[in-house]
Coordinates of all heavy atoms in Angstrom, one line a residue:
M1 N 83.1 76.5 48.4 CA 84.3 77.2 48.7 C 85.1 76.4 49.7 O 84.6 75.9 50.7 CB 83.9 78.6 49.3 CG 85.0 79.6 49.4 SD 84.6 81.1 50.4 CE 83.7 82.0 49.2
S2 N 86.4 76.3 49.5 CA 87.3 75.5 50.4 C 87.6 76.3 51.7 O 87.3 77.5 51.7 CB 88.6 75.2 49.7 OG 89.4 76.4 49.6
V3 N 88.0 75.6 52.7 CA 88.3 76.2 54.0 C 89.4 77.3 53.8 O 89.3 78.4 54.4 CB 88.8 75.2 55.0 CG1 88.9 75.8 56.4 CG2 87.9 74.0 55.1
T4 N 90.4 77.0 53.0 CA 91.5 78.0 52.8 C 90.9 79.2 52.1 O 91.3 80.4 52.4 CB 92.7 77.4 52.0 OG1 92.2 76.7 50.9 CG2 93.5 76.5 52.9
E5 N 90.0 79.1 51.1 CA 89.4 80.2 50.4 C 88.6 81.1 51.4 O 88.6 82.3 51.4 CB 88.5 79.7 49.3 CG 89.2 79.5 48.0 CD 88.3 78.8 46.9 OE1 87.4 78.2 47.3 OE2 88.6 79.1 45.8
K6 N 87.8 80.3 52.3 CA 87.0 81.0 53.3 C 87.8 81.9 54.2 O 87.3 82.9 54.7 CB 86.2 80.0 54.1 CG 84.7 80.0 53.9 CD 84.1 79.0 54.8 CE 82.6 79.0 54.7 NZ 82.0 78.0 55.5
T7 N 88.9 81.4 54.6 CA 89.7 82.1 55.7 C 90.8 83.0 55.1 O 91.3 83.8 55.9 CB 90.4 81.0 56.6 OG1 91.3 80.2 55.8 CG2 89.4 80.1 57.3
G8 N 91.2 82.8 53.9 CA 92.3 83.5 53.3 C 93.6 82.9 53.6 O 94.7 83.5 53.2
A9 N 93.6 81.8 54.4 CA 94.9 81.2 54.8 C 95.5 80.4 53.6 O 94.7 80.0 52.6 CB 94.7 80.2 56.0
R10 N 96.8 80.1 53.6 CA 97.4 79.4 52.5 C 97.7 78.0 52.9 O 98.2 77.2 52.1 CB 98.6 80.1 52.1 CG 98.4 81.6 51.6 CD 97.6 81.6 50.4 NE 97.1 83.0 50.1 CZ 97.7 83.9 49.5 NH1 98.9 83.7 49.0 NH2 97.2 85.1 49.3
T11 N 97.5 77.7 54.2 CA 97.8 76.2 54.6 C 96.6 75.8 55.4 O 95.8 76.6 56.0 CB 99.1 76.2 55.5 OG1 98.8 76.9 56.7 CG2 100.3 76.7 54.8
D12 N 96.4 74.4 55.4 CA 95.4 73.8 56.2 C 95.5 74.2 57.7 O 94.5 74.4 58.4 CB 95.3 72.3 56.1 CG 94.8 71.9 54.7 OD1 94.2 72.8 54.0 OD2 95.0 70.8 54.3
E13 N 96.8 74.2 58.2 CA 97.0 74.5 59.6 C 96.6 75.9 60.0 O 95.8 76.1 60.9 CB 98.5 74.4 59.9 CG 99.1 73.0 59.9 CD 99.3 72.4 58.5 OE1 99.3 73.2 57.5 OE2 99.3 71.2 58.3
A14 N 96.9 76.8 59.1 CA 96.5 78.3 59.4 C 95.0 78.3 59.3 O 94.3 79.0 60.1 CB 97.2 79.2 58.4
A15 N 94.4 77.6 58.3 CA 92.9 77.7 58.2 C 92.2 77.1 59.4 O 91.2 77.7 59.9 CB 92.5 76.9 57.0
A16 N 92.8 76.1 60.1 CA 92.2 75.5 61.2 C 92.3 76.5 62.4 O 91.3 76.7 63.2 CB 92.9 74.2 61.6
V17 N 93.4 77.2 62.6 CA 93.6 78.2 63.6 C 92.6 79.3 63.4 O 91.8 79.7 64.4 CB 95.0 78.8 63.6 CG1 95.1 80.0 64.5 CG2 96.1 77.8 64.0
I18 N 92.4 79.8 62.2 CA 91.5 80.9 61.9 C 90.1 80.5 62.2 O 89.3 81.2 62.8 CB 91.7 81.4 60.5 CG1 93.1 82.1 60.4 CG2 90.6 82.3 60.0 CD1 93.5 82.4 58.9
T19 N 89.7 79.3 61.7 CA 88.3 78.8 61.9 C 88.0 78.8 63.4 O 86.9 79.2 63.8 CB 88.1 77.5 61.2 OG1 88.4 77.6 59.8 CG2 86.7 77.0 61.4
G20 N 88.9 78.2 64.2 CA 88.7 78.1 65.6 C 88.6 79.4 66.3 O 87.7 79.7 67.1
A21 N 89.5 80.3 65.9 CA 89.5 81.7 66.5 C 88.2 82.5 66.0 O 87.6 83.2 66.8 CB 90.7 82.5 66.0
R22 N 87.7 82.2 64.9 CA 86.5 82.9 64.4 C 85.3 82.5 65.2 O 84.4 83.3 65.5 CB 86.3 82.7 62.9 CG 87.1 83.6 62.0 CD 86.8 83.4 60.6 NE 87.6 84.3 59.8 CZ 87.6 84.3 58.5 NH1 86.9 83.4 57.8 NH2 88.4 85.1 57.8
E23 N 85.3 81.2 65.6 CA 84.2 80.7 66.5 C 84.2 81.4 67.8 O 83.2 81.8 68.3 CB 84.3 79.2 66.7 CG 83.8 78.4 65.5 CD 84.1 76.9 65.6 OE1 84.4 76.4 66.7 OE2 84.1 76.2 64.6
R24 N 85.4 81.6 68.3 CA 85.5 82.4 69.6 C 85.0 83.8 69.4 O 84.4 84.4 70.3 CB 86.9 82.3 70.1 CG 87.3 81.0 70.7 CD 88.8 80.9 71.0 NE 89.3 81.9 71.9 CZ 90.6 82.4 71.9 NH1 91.5 81.8 71.1 NH2 90.9 83.3 72.7
I25 N 85.4 84.4 68.3 CA 85.0 85.8 68.0 C 83.5 85.9 67.9 O 82.8 86.8 68.5 CB 85.7 86.4 66.8 CG1 87.2 86.7 67.1 CG2 85.0 87.5 66.2 CD1 88.0 87.3 66.0
D26 N 82.9 84.9 67.2 CA 81.4 84.9 67.1 C 80.7 84.8 68.5 O 79.8 85.5 68.7 CB 80.9 83.7 66.2 CG 81.2 84.0 64.7 OD1 81.5 85.2 64.4 OD2 81.1 83.0 63.9
A27 N 81.3 84.0 69.3 CA 80.8 83.8 70.7 C 80.9 85.1 71.5 O 80.0 85.6 72.2 CB 81.4 82.7 71.4
L28 N 82.1 85.8 71.3 CA 82.4 87.0 72.0 C 81.4 88.1 71.5 O 80.9 88.9 72.3 CB 83.8 87.5 71.8 CG 84.9 86.7 72.6 CD1 86.3 87.0 72.1 CD2 84.8 87.0 74.1
D29 N 81.2 88.1 70.2 CA 80.3 89.1 69.6 C 78.9 89.0 70.1 O 78.2 90.0 70.4 CB 80.4 89.1 68.1 CG 81.6 89.7 67.5 OD1 82.4 90.3 68.3 OD2 81.9 89.5 66.3
D30 N 78.4 87.7 70.2 CA 77.1 87.4 70.8 C 77.0 88.0 72.2 O 76.0 88.6 72.6 CB 76.8 85.9 70.8 CG 76.4 85.4 69.4 OD1 76.1 86.2 68.5 OD2 76.5 84.2 69.2
H31 N 78.1 87.8 72.9 CA 78.1 88.2 74.4 C 78.1 89.8 74.4 O 77.3 90.4 75.2 CB 79.4 87.7 75.0 CG 79.5 87.8 76.5 ND1 80.6 87.7 77.2 CD2 78.5 88.0 77.4 CE1 80.3 87.9 78.5 NE2 79.0 88.1 78.6
I32 N 78.9 90.4 73.6 CA 79.0 91.9 73.5 C 77.6 92.4 73.1 O 77.1 93.4 73.7 CB 80.0 92.3 72.5 CG1 81.4 92.0 73.1 CG2 79.9 93.8 72.2 CD1 82.6 92.1 72.0
I33 N 76.9 91.8 72.1 CA 75.6 92.3 71.7 C 74.6 92.2 72.8 O 73.8 93.1 73.1 CB 75.1 91.5 70.5 CG1 75.9 91.9 69.2 CG2 73.6 91.8 70.2 CD1 75.8 91.0 68.0
G34 N 74.7 91.0 73.6 CA 73.8 90.8 74.7 C 74.1 91.9 75.8 O 73.1 92.4 76.4
L35 N 75.3 92.2 76.1 CA 75.6 93.2 77.0 C 75.2 94.6 76.6 O 74.7 95.4 77.5 CB 77.2 93.2 77.3 CG 77.8 92.0 78.0 CD1 79.3 92.0 78.0 CD2 77.2 92.0 79.5
V36 N 75.3 94.9 75.3 CA 74.8 96.2 74.9 C 73.3 96.3 75.0 O 72.8 97.3 75.5 CB 75.2 96.4 73.4 CG1 74.5 97.7 72.8 CG2 76.8 96.6 73.2
Q37 N 72.6 95.2 74.7 CA 71.1 95.2 74.9 C 70.8 95.4 76.4 O 69.8 96.1 76.7 CB 70.6 93.9 74.3 CG 70.6 93.9 72.8 CD 70.2 92.6 72.2 OE1 70.4 91.6 72.8 NE2 69.7 92.6 70.9
E38 N 71.5 94.7 77.2 CA 71.3 94.8 78.7 C 71.6 96.3 79.1 O 70.8 96.9 79.9 CB 72.2 93.9 79.4 CG 71.9 93.8 80.9 CD 72.8 92.7 81.6 OE1 73.4 91.9 80.9 OE2 72.9 92.9 82.9
R39 N 72.6 96.9 78.6 CA 73.0 98.3 78.9 C 71.8 99.2 78.4 O 71.5 100.2 79.1 CB 74.3 98.7 78.3 CG 74.8 100.0 78.8 CD 76.0 100.5 78.0 NE 76.7 101.6 78.6 CZ 76.2 102.8 78.6 NH1 75.0 103.1 78.1 NH2 76.8 103.8 79.3
M40 N 71.3 99.0 77.2 CA 70.2 99.8 76.7 C 69.0 99.8 77.6 O 68.4 100.8 77.9 CB 69.8 99.3 75.3 CG 70.8 99.6 74.3 SD 70.6 98.7 72.7 CE 69.1 99.5 72.1
A41 N 68.7 98.6 78.2 CA 67.5 98.4 79.0 C 67.8 99.2 80.4 O 66.9 99.9 80.9 CB 67.3 96.9 79.3
V42 N 69.0 99.1 80.9 CA 69.3 99.8 82.2 C 69.3 101.3 82.0 O 68.7 102.1 82.7 CB 70.7 99.3 82.7 CG1 71.0 100.2 84.0 CG2 70.6 97.9 83.1
S43 N 69.9 101.7 80.8 CA 69.9 103.1 80.5 C 68.4 103.7 80.3 O 68.1 104.8 80.8 CB 70.6 103.4 79.2 OG 70.7 104.7 78.9
A44 N 67.5 102.9 79.8 CA 66.2 103.3 79.6 C 65.5 103.5 80.9 O 64.7 104.5 81.1 CB 65.4 102.3 78.7
V45 N 65.8 102.6 81.9 CA 65.2 102.8 83.2 C 65.6 104.2 83.8 O 64.8 104.9 84.4 CB 65.7 101.7 84.2 CG1 65.3 102.0 85.6 CG2 65.1 100.3 83.8
I46 N 66.9 104.5 83.7 CA 67.4 105.8 84.2 C 66.7 107.0 83.5 O 66.2 107.9 84.1 CB 68.9 106.0 84.0 CG1 69.7 104.9 84.7 CG2 69.4 107.3 84.3 CD1 71.2 104.8 84.4
Q47 N 66.6 106.9 82.2 CA 66.1 108.0 81.4 C 64.6 108.2 81.7 O 64.1 109.3 81.9 CB 66.3 107.8 79.9 CG 67.8 107.9 79.5 CD 68.0 107.3 78.1 OE1 67.4 107.8 77.2 NE2 68.8 106.3 78.0
E48 N 63.9 107.1 81.8 CA 62.4 107.2 82.1 C 62.2 107.7 83.4 O 61.3 108.6 83.6 CB 61.8 105.8 81.9 CG 61.5 105.4 80.5 CD 61.4 103.9 80.3 OE1 61.2 103.2 81.3 OE2 61.6 103.4 79.1
S49 N 63.0 107.3 84.4 CA 62.8 107.9 85.8 C 63.1 109.3 85.8 O 62.4 110.1 86.5 CB 63.8 107.0 86.7 OG 63.9 107.6 87.9
R50 N 64.2 109.8 85.1 CA 64.5 111.2 85.1 C 63.5 112.0 84.4 O 63.1 113.0 84.9 CB 65.9 111.4 84.5 CG 66.4 112.8 84.6 CD 67.9 113.0 84.4 NE 68.3 112.4 83.1 CZ 69.3 111.4 83.0 NH1 69.8 110.9 84.1 NH2 69.6 110.9 81.9
I51 N 63.0 111.5 83.3 CA 61.9 112.3 82.6 C 60.6 112.3 83.4 O 60.0 113.4 83.5 CB 61.7 111.6 81.2 CG1 62.9 111.8 80.2 CG2 60.4 112.2 80.5 CD1 62.9 111.0 79.0
A52 N 60.3 111.2 84.0 CA 59.0 111.2 84.8 C 59.2 112.2 86.0 O 58.1 112.7 86.5 CB 58.8 109.7 85.3
S53 N 60.4 112.4 86.4 CA 60.6 113.3 87.6 C 60.6 114.8 87.1 O 60.8 115.7 87.9 CB 61.8 113.0 88.3 OG 63.0 113.5 87.6
G54 N 60.5 115.0 85.8 CA 60.5 116.3 85.2 C 61.9 116.8 84.7 O 62.0 117.8 84.2
G55 N 62.8 115.8 84.7 CA 64.1 116.2 84.1 C 64.2 115.9 82.6 O 63.3 115.6 82.0
R56 N 65.5 116.0 82.1 CA 65.7 115.8 80.7 C 66.2 114.4 80.5 O 66.7 113.7 81.4 CB 66.8 116.8 80.2 CG 66.4 118.2 80.3 CD 67.6 119.1 80.0 NE 67.3 120.5 80.2 CZ 67.1 121.3 79.2 NH1 67.3 120.9 77.9 NH2 66.8 122.6 79.4
R57 N 66.0 113.9 79.2 CA 66.5 112.6 78.8 C 68.0 112.5 79.0 O 68.5 111.5 79.5 CB 66.1 112.3 77.4 CG 66.7 111.0 76.9 CD 66.2 110.6 75.4 NE 64.8 110.4 75.4 CZ 64.2 109.3 75.8 NH1 64.9 108.3 76.3 NH2 62.9 109.2 75.7
V58 N 68.7 113.6 78.6 CA 70.1 113.5 78.4 C 70.8 114.1 79.7 O 70.3 115.1 80.2 CB 70.6 114.3 77.1 CG1 72.1 114.4 77.1 CG2 70.1 113.5 75.9
S59 N 71.9 113.5 80.1 CA 72.8 114.1 81.1 C 74.2 114.2 80.5 O 74.9 113.2 80.5 CB 72.8 113.1 82.3 OG 73.9 113.5 83.2
L60 N 74.5 115.4 80.1 CA 75.8 115.5 79.4 C 77.0 115.3 80.3 O 78.0 114.7 79.9 CB 75.9 116.9 78.7 CG 74.9 117.1 77.5 CD1 75.0 118.5 76.9 CD2 75.3 116.1 76.4
N61 N 76.9 115.7 81.5 CA 78.0 115.5 82.5 C 78.3 114.0 82.6 O 79.5 113.6 82.6 CB 77.7 116.0 83.9 CG 77.8 117.5 83.9 OD1 78.4 118.1 83.0 ND2 77.3 118.1 84.9
R62 N 77.3 113.2 82.7 CA 77.4 111.7 82.8 C 78.0 111.2 81.5 O 78.9 110.3 81.6 CB 76.1 111.1 83.2 CG 76.1 109.6 83.2 CD 77.1 109.1 84.2 NE 77.1 107.6 84.2 CZ 78.0 106.8 84.7 NH1 79.1 107.3 85.3 NH2 77.9 105.5 84.6
E63 N 77.5 111.7 80.4 CA 78.0 111.2 79.1 C 79.5 111.5 79.0 O 80.3 110.6 78.5 CB 77.3 111.8 77.9 CG 75.8 111.4 77.9 CD 75.2 111.5 76.5 OE1 75.9 111.8 75.6 OE2 73.9 111.2 76.4
M64 N 80.0 112.6 79.5 CA 81.4 112.9 79.5 C 82.2 111.9 80.3 O 83.3 111.5 79.9 CB 81.7 114.3 80.1 CG 81.2 115.5 79.2 SD 81.9 115.4 77.6 CE 80.4 115.4 76.6
E65 N 81.6 111.5 81.4 CA 82.3 110.4 82.3 C 82.4 109.1 81.5 O 83.4 108.4 81.5 CB 81.5 110.2 83.6 CG 81.7 111.3 84.6 CD 80.8 111.1 85.8 OE1 80.2 110.0 86.0 OE2 80.7 112.0 86.6
V66 N 81.3 108.8 80.8 CA 81.3 107.5 80.1 C 82.3 107.5 78.9 O 83.1 106.6 78.7 CB 79.9 107.2 79.5 CG1 79.9 106.0 78.6 CG2 78.9 107.0 80.7
L67 N 82.3 108.7 78.2 CA 83.3 108.8 77.1 C 84.7 108.8 77.6 O 85.6 108.1 77.0 CB 83.1 110.2 76.4 CG 81.7 110.3 75.6 CD1 81.6 111.7 75.1 CD2 81.7 109.3 74.4
A68 N 85.0 109.4 78.8 CA 86.4 109.4 79.3 C 86.8 108.0 79.7 O 87.9 107.5 79.5 CB 86.4 110.3 80.5
R69 N 85.9 107.2 80.3 CA 86.2 105.8 80.7 C 86.6 105.0 79.5 O 87.6 104.3 79.5 CB 84.9 105.2 81.4 CG 85.1 103.8 81.8 CD 83.8 103.2 82.2 NE 83.3 103.8 83.4 CZ 83.3 103.2 84.6 NH1 83.9 102.0 84.7 NH2 82.8 103.7 85.7
F70 N 85.9 105.1 78.4 CA 86.2 104.3 77.2 C 87.5 104.9 76.5 O 88.3 104.1 76.0 CB 85.0 104.4 76.2 CG 84.0 103.3 76.5 CD1 83.1 103.4 77.5 CD2 83.9 102.2 75.7 CE1 82.2 102.4 77.8 CE2 83.0 101.2 75.9 CZ 82.1 101.3 77.0
R71 N 87.7 106.1 76.5 CA 88.9 106.7 75.9 C 90.1 106.3 76.7 O 91.1 105.9 76.2 CB 88.8 108.2 75.9 CG 90.0 108.9 75.2 CD 90.1 110.4 75.5 NE 90.3 110.5 76.9 CZ 89.5 111.4 77.7 NH1 88.6 112.1 77.2 NH2 89.7 111.5 79.0
D72 N 90.0 106.3 78.1 CA 91.2 105.9 78.9 C 91.5 104.4 78.7 O 92.7 104.1 78.7 CB 90.8 106.1 80.4 CG 90.7 107.6 80.7 OD1 91.1 108.5 79.9 OD2 90.3 108.0 81.9
A73 N 90.5 103.6 78.5 CA 90.7 102.2 78.3 C 91.1 101.8 76.9 O 92.0 100.9 76.7 CB 89.5 101.4 78.7
L74 N 90.6 102.5 75.9 CA 90.8 102.1 74.5 C 91.4 103.1 73.5 O 91.5 102.8 72.4 CB 89.4 101.6 73.9 CG 88.7 100.5 74.7 CD1 87.3 100.3 74.2 CD2 89.5 99.2 74.6
G75 N 91.6 104.3 74.1 CA 92.2 105.3 73.2 C 91.1 106.0 72.4 O 89.9 105.8 72.6
K76 N 91.5 106.7 71.3 CA 90.5 107.5 70.6 C 89.4 106.7 70.0 O 88.3 107.2 70.0 CB 91.3 108.3 69.5 CG 90.6 109.5 68.9 CD 91.5 110.2 67.9 CE 90.6 111.2 67.1 NZ 91.2 111.6 65.9
P77 N 89.7 105.5 69.4 CA 88.6 104.7 68.9 C 87.6 104.4 70.0 O 86.4 104.1 69.8 CB 89.2 103.5 68.3 CG 90.6 103.8 68.1 CD 91.0 104.9 69.2
G78 N 88.1 104.3 71.3 CA 87.1 104.0 72.4 C 86.1 105.1 72.5 O 84.9 104.9 72.9
T79 N 86.5 106.4 72.3 CA 85.5 107.5 72.3 C 84.4 107.3 71.3 O 83.3 107.4 71.5 CB 86.2 108.8 72.0 OG1 87.3 109.0 73.0 CG2 85.3 110.0 72.2
A80 N 84.8 106.9 70.0 CA 83.9 106.7 69.0 C 82.9 105.5 69.3 O 81.7 105.6 69.1 CB 84.6 106.4 67.6
L81 N 83.5 104.5 69.9 CA 82.7 103.3 70.4 C 81.7 103.8 71.4 O 80.5 103.4 71.3 CB 83.6 102.2 70.9 CG 83.0 101.0 71.4 CD1 82.2 100.3 70.2 CD2 84.0 100.0 72.0
A82 N 82.1 104.6 72.4 CA 81.2 105.0 73.4 C 80.1 105.9 72.9 O 79.0 105.9 73.3 CB 82.0 105.7 74.5
M83 N 80.5 106.7 71.9 CA 79.5 107.6 71.3 C 78.4 106.8 70.6 O 77.2 107.1 70.7 CB 80.1 108.6 70.3 CG 80.9 109.7 71.0 SD 81.8 110.8 70.0 CE 80.5 111.7 69.2
T84 N 78.8 105.8 69.9 CA 77.8 104.9 69.2 C 77.0 104.2 70.3 O 75.7 104.1 70.1 CB 78.6 103.8 68.3 OG1 79.3 104.5 67.4 CG2 77.6 102.9 67.7
M85 N 77.6 103.7 71.3 CA 76.8 103.1 72.4 C 75.8 104.0 73.0 O 74.7 103.6 73.3 CB 77.8 102.5 73.4 CG 77.3 101.5 74.3 SD 78.5 101.0 75.5 CE 78.7 102.6 76.4
L86 N 76.3 105.2 73.3 CA 75.3 106.2 73.9 C 74.2 106.5 72.9 O 73.0 106.6 73.3 CB 76.1 107.5 74.2 CG 77.0 107.4 75.5 CD1 77.9 108.6 75.6 CD2 76.1 107.3 76.7
E87 N 74.5 106.6 71.6 CA 73.4 106.8 70.6 C 72.4 105.6 70.7 O 71.2 105.8 70.6 CB 74.0 107.0 69.2 CG 72.9 107.3 68.2 CD 73.5 107.5 66.8 OE1 74.6 107.8 66.7 OE2 72.7 107.3 65.9
L88 N 72.9 104.4 70.8 CA 72.0 103.3 70.9 C 71.1 103.3 72.2 O 70.0 103.0 72.2 CB 72.8 102.0 71.0 CG 73.4 101.4 69.7 CD1 74.4 100.3 69.9 CD2 72.2 100.9 68.8
C89 N 71.7 103.9 73.3 CA 71.1 103.9 74.5 C 70.1 105.1 74.7 O 69.0 104.9 75.3 CB 72.1 103.9 75.7 SG 72.9 102.4 75.9
R90 N 70.3 106.2 74.1 CA 69.4 107.4 74.3 C 68.9 108.0 73.0 O 68.3 109.0 73.0 CB 70.1 108.4 75.2 CG 71.5 109.0 74.8 CD 71.5 110.2 74.0 NE 72.8 110.7 73.9 CZ 73.6 110.6 72.8 NH1 73.2 109.9 71.7 NH2 74.8 111.1 72.8
G91 N 69.3 107.4 71.8 CA 68.9 107.9 70.5 C 69.8 109.1 70.2 O 70.7 109.5 70.9
R92 N 69.6 109.7 69.0 CA 70.4 110.8 68.5 C 70.0 112.1 69.2 O 68.8 112.3 69.5 CB 70.2 111.0 67.0 CG 71.1 110.1 66.1 CD 70.8 110.3 64.7 NE 71.5 109.3 63.9 CZ 72.6 109.7 63.2 NH1 73.1 110.9 63.2 NH2 73.3 108.8 62.5
I93 N 71.1 112.9 69.4 CA 70.7 114.2 70.0 C 71.2 115.3 69.0 O 72.0 115.0 68.1 CB 71.3 114.5 71.4 CG1 72.8 114.1 71.4 CG2 70.5 113.8 72.4 CD1 73.5 114.5 72.7
Ligands
PRE101 O1 73.5 107.9 83.5 C1 72.5 108.4 83.0 O2 72.1 109.5 83.6 C2 71.8 108.0 81.9 O3 70.8 108.5 81.5 C3 72.4 106.8 81.1 C4 73.2 107.3 79.9 C5 74.0 106.1 79.4 O4 73.4 105.3 78.6 O5 75.1 105.9 79.9 C6 72.2 107.7 78.8 C7 71.8 109.0 78.6 C8 72.5 110.1 79.3 O6 72.7 111.2 78.5 C9 73.7 109.7 80.0 C10 74.1 108.4 80.2

């Protein structure tokens, strides 16, 4: 497959821009995945500590704060993103 086919570009110049930008996106995605995994580990510490003390796994008030932070920064899709992230961190409820 040619570079232009791979990128959807119609010129070599555009294909070069897209290829370079996709490398940056791949690096950013690796970083984001690493941060999500780090967040999952920190969240697990909180949940285990709360459960060990006799509390519940879930803190709905705190989840509302997390959802609001993402919504304020990213709009409605930010809420969906935060909900998926919370599901990764505490499982389905
Ligand atoms: O902040 C907490 O109390 C957590 O347990 C962490 C966290 C989160 O991942 O943000 C996970 C589960 C709770 O329902 C609320 C928030």
Side-chain angles (χ1 to χ4, degrees):
M1 194 188 281
S2 73
V3 188
T4 47
E5 275 173 332
K6 243 184 176 174
T7 59
R10 302 294 165 86
T11 64
D12 288 344
E13 290 74 19
V17 169
I18 291 167
T19 301
R22 281 184 178 175
E23 281 173 16
R24 286 170 52 206
I25 284 179
D26 285 345
L28 287 166
D29 285 349
D30 284 344
H31 194 197
I32 291 166
I33 290 165
L35 289 172
V36 170
Q37 289 171 331
E38 189 179 340
R39 191 190 192 288
M40 289 166 71
V42 175
S43 183
V45 169
I46 297 174
Q47 292 167 60
E48 282 158 17
S49 170
R50 189 162 50 239
I51 289 166
S53 77
R56 295 169 184 257
R57 172 176 298 281
V58 169
S59 165
L60 288 178
N61 285 346
R62 176 58 181 164
E63 293 203 6
M64 291 305 125
E65 287 177 8
V66 173
L67 292 173
R69 180 192 289 258
F70 275 75
R71 187 198 57 232
D72 290 350
L74 302 170
K76 201 174 167 199
T79 306
L81 181 62
M83 285 174 73
T84 300
M85 198 183 62
L86 285 168
E87 185 179 334
L88 281 167
C89 288
R90 54 93 169 106
R92 276 178 184 256
I93 49 172

